[in-house]
Amino acid sequence: MNKKESGYRWVVFGTVLFAYFLIVSQRTAPGLITDQLMKDFHVSASIIGFMSSIQFFAYAGLQIPIGLFSDRYGPNRFLIIGTLLAGLGSLIYSFSPNEYVLICSRLLVGMGDAAIFVNLVLILNQWFKAKEFVKLIGVVSLAAGLGSLSATVPFSMWISFAGWRMPFLSIGIILVIFSYLLYMVLVLK
């Protein structure tokens, strides 16, 4: 079976794209609850800033190593592991009893997030022709924008309704389940 001719490639695309959408929404969602975190955990804005920055330090610092490993060993496992780490980080975040666990959970999310985009691009390159690939990267950019947008008003409304822990718990569970779905789609086929 030629991957680039298969109808299954659209299943791969949809699954990978939705995982990316969810993970992008988790990049900025903690910004909605900074005041609540400061109040709940009795921490300063500098601790919240550190918590936010640790995620991006992990994300930026792991981009090149993840890219090298993905080129060498293939993108499927790294995308699955990245989705799982982001999901586990969100789960831990939702149960955090103190600021130290909050910081560690955001580190996990950043580590998982680092494995997503580069592997998404590599997977699309494996499954789609060059002409389709370019268009699909545009769709990926649109999904990223919608993911960021969903972390504003919709997520804020959910937080207002259910408190801040439930939305992060729910997205964490979905990401963990999705990591298994990615395994089924990308590895088991």
Side-chain angles (χ1 to χ4, degrees), residues 166-185:
M166 183 55 68
F168 286 95
L169 173 68
S170 301
I171 296 296
I173 291 169
I174 292 168
L175 284 170
V176 168
I177 292 169
F178 235 78
S179 67
Y180 182 72
L181 182 61
L182 285 168
Y183 175 74
M184 289 176 23
V185 168

Side-chain angles (χ1 to χ4, degrees), residues 143-159:
L146 292 174
S148 293
L149 187 61
S150 74
T152 57
V153 175
F155 212 73
S156 181
M157 290 171 56
W158 191 7
I159 289 167

Side-chain angles (χ1 to χ4, degrees), residues 39-112:
K39 184 178 140 204
D40 290 355
F41 294 100
H42 308 288
V43 295
S44 67
S46 62
I47 296 296
I48 299 299
F50 178 70
M51 180 194 69
S52 298
S53 64
I54 196 98
Q55 176 184 346
F56 290 104
F57 287 143
Y59 175 78
L62 290 173
Q63 287 286 294
I64 292 173
I66 293 286
L68 294 172
F69 283 123
S70 297
D71 283 341
R72 183 168 181 96
Y73 301 108
N76 294 349
R77 287 185 196 104
F78 290 102
L79 183 73
I80 294 163
I81 291 168
T83 304
L84 181 61
L85 285 175
L88 290 174
S90 290
L91 283 173
I92 293 167
Y93 191 78
S94 72
F95 290 115
S96 294
N98 57 51
E99 65 272 19
Y100 304 109
V101 177
L102 280 175
I103 291 167
C104 291
S105 68
R106 294 319 289 176
L107 178 65
L108 274 178
V109 171
M111 292 167 64

